Amino acid sequence: MQSYETRRTTLDPSDMMGLVERFPDDCLRAWESAAAWSVPALPAKHLLLLGMGGSAIGADLLRAYLEPSATIPITVCRDYEVPAFVDADTVCIAISYSGNTEETLSAYADARRRGARGLAISTGGKLQARAAADGVPCFPLAPGLPPRASLPWSFFSLLRVVAGLGIWVEQDAAVRALHARLREAAARWGPAAADSPALALANSLQDSVPIVYGAGRGLPTVAYRWKCQINENPKMAAACAALPEANHNEQAGFSSPHPEADYARLAVVMLTDPAARVEVRNRARVTADYLRGRMPVYEVEAEGDTLLERMLLLILLGDFVSVYLAWVREIDPTPVEAIEWLKGRLAALRGE
Ligand code: PA5
């Protein structure tokens, strides 16, 4: 570890690791700063969250967290158009870190056309301008971050907003307990730790194509965050899957008679939850047994007393793993040139 820590400024010049280290404090800062927001009373029969990529993951996490308790449906839309059910009984929250993401802007316009009442969350850009023109409140995100590092801000901003909308009962003590647990975990997993299990997992995964499984409530969303962070920080191909669903299709894809050739670089990370239903825990165990022998399988059990703690602690662990993967592969975690290239080409096609 020491050699990485001493080379940190060259391996990670924009300090993505620092952003992961401050994830716990950013959660609390985001929660506290959003306390002052005045969220309009908008009765909703349906909550629609709009966003893409690093801005949408906070929405996914919110949906996964609220699903066991929310009494209205919550939908995350990552597209140009919103579903046909959207109407005046829908409250729509558009989230875009830059405020300039074309799918989110298009979906926001579509939702408004269909009569949805709305809110926006952004650092600025066109979304902020359109919201101002429409008389729609636009709440701020902390500026100067890569969108994927703004997850604490987007998630805790959304939590405050849904509390304001009456969809969730505010739990200040739970957020403060979570903050303490995240800090304690960051000390165990971060670069200052003598034996970080996150670094050990990164060392094991560095030459592989990881498939991250999520088994248990909220864990498919966490697995998706792991996959995206492994894509964006160390620039690695990765996939994710959800249990129980993967047992009904993906499983067959691992029954090749030529496993050495077909699965040469695959590795499975199985995210499990000790509080999951026994059926799901059995599926995780049996699936891992099946895959072992065909590819390496690493099991990671969620920590925490509540669903919120288990999801966010596992997300923090995955964020550490992804930046360690960048360090061990000697790839700068921050720039995402492929995404920028794509956005540039598409802007040129639009004549911008
Ligand atoms: O990680 C990223 O940079 C992307 O996934 C962006 O979040 C995505 O392209 C959407 O942009 P924005 O978050 O500015 O709406």
Side-chain angles (χ1 to χ4, degrees):
M1 181 70 256
Q2 200 50 41
S3 67
Y4 293 121
E5 187 62 339
T6 50
R7 289 157 60 211
R8 180 169 173 161
T9 46
T10 45
L11 287 171
D12 187 3
S14 305
D15 199 22
M16 182 62 81
M17 184 61 89
L19 295 179
V20 177
E21 289 178 290
R22 70 179 227 212
F23 183 109
D25 288 343
D26 276 357
C27 289
L28 190 61
R29 276 192 212 111
W31 175 249
E32 288 181 339
S33 62
W37 295 355
S38 106
V39 178
L42 297 174
K45 290 195 180 151
H46 202 123
L47 179 64
L48 178 73
L49 305 163
L50 312 176
M52 300 299 299
S55 291
I57 188 69
D60 283 336
L61 196 56
L62 183 84
R63 183 188 40 72
Y65 173 52
L66 294 188
E67 243 167 20
S69 59
T71 53
I72 59 167
I74 301 171
T75 305
V76 178
C77 172
R78 289 177 161 87
D79 210 336
Y80 290 88
E81 290 163 17
V82 300
F85 67 75
V86 172
D87 61 14
D89 288 327
T90 306
V91 168
C92 161
I93 308 177
I95 312 144
S96 169
Y97 190 78
S98 63
N100 292 322
T101 298
E102 70 172 21
E103 299 94 317
T104 312
L105 291 168
S106 164
Y108 166 84
D110 191 27
R112 283 191 58 79
R113 247 189 323 269
R114 292 171 185 274
R117 284 143 320 144
L119 301 160
I121 300 178
S122 183
T123 57
K126 293 179 188 162
L127 182 61
Q128 189 183 59
R130 289 193 195 169
D134 295 337
V136 162
C138 183
F139 297 114
L141 291 168
L145 298 169
R148 60 193 181 281
S150 73
L151 175 61
W153 296 92
S154 57
F155 177 70
F156 285 96
S157 303
L158 281 168
L159 260 191
R160 282 288 191 194
V161 169
V162 292
L165 291 170
I167 296 169
W168 177 71
V169 179
E170 218 161 74
Q171 294 173 21
D172 189 67
V175 174
R176 288 174 196 283
L178 167 72
H179 172 241
R181 288 204 77 146
L182 287 169
R183 279 185 67 109
E184 178 275 323
R188 278 185 285 128
W189 299 336
D195 289 304
S196 166
L199 175 61
L201 184 55
N203 276 320
S204 303
L205 292 174
Q206 61 177 304
D207 296 318
S208 66
V209 175
I211 306 174
V212 187
Y213 275 70
R217 224 160 187 162
L219 267 51
T221 298
V222 175
Y224 182 65
R225 167 70 173 188
W226 276 58
K227 177 205 110 62
C228 295
Q229 290 290 77
I230 293 171
N231 295 147
E232 292 193 55
N233 288 332
K235 285 65 171 167
M236 289 167 67
C240 64
L243 284 178
E245 174 64 13
N247 284 164
H248 300 272
N249 34 63
E250 183 157 307
Q251 188 82 22
F254 295 127
S255 59
S256 163
H258 313 292
E260 297 82 8
D262 287 353
Y263 312 138
R265 291 190 53 213
L266 299 185
V268 161
V269 179
M270 180 69 73
L271 306 180
T272 61
D273 181 351
R277 312 170 52 106
V278 65
E279 297 94 326
V280 175
R281 284 187 282 122
N282 285 342
R283 282 178 185 277
R285 205 180 51 247
V286 174
T287 306
D289 287 348
Y290 184 85
L291 296 175
R292 232 176 257 114
R294 293 170 168 82
M295 62 197 75
V297 176
Y298 305 97
E299 291 181 57
V300 180
E301 191 172 79
E303 303 177 11
D305 297 327
T306 62
L307 176 62
L308 187 65
E309 290 183 359
R310 289 191 292 278
M311 288 196 310
L312 280 161
L313 281 158
L314 262 189
I315 280 183
L316 178 63
L317 179 63
D319 282 12
F320 273 120
V321 171
S322 71
V323 181
Y324 284 130
L325 273 167
W327 284 17
V328 298
R329 289 162 55 90
E330 303 198 355
I331 288 171
D332 183 350
T334 299
V336 280
E337 280 154 17
I339 296 176
E340 298 311 327
W341 177 87
L342 207 93
K343 287 185 179 179
R345 285 296 290 266
L346 291 167
L349 285 176
R350 290 193 301 267
E352 289 168 13

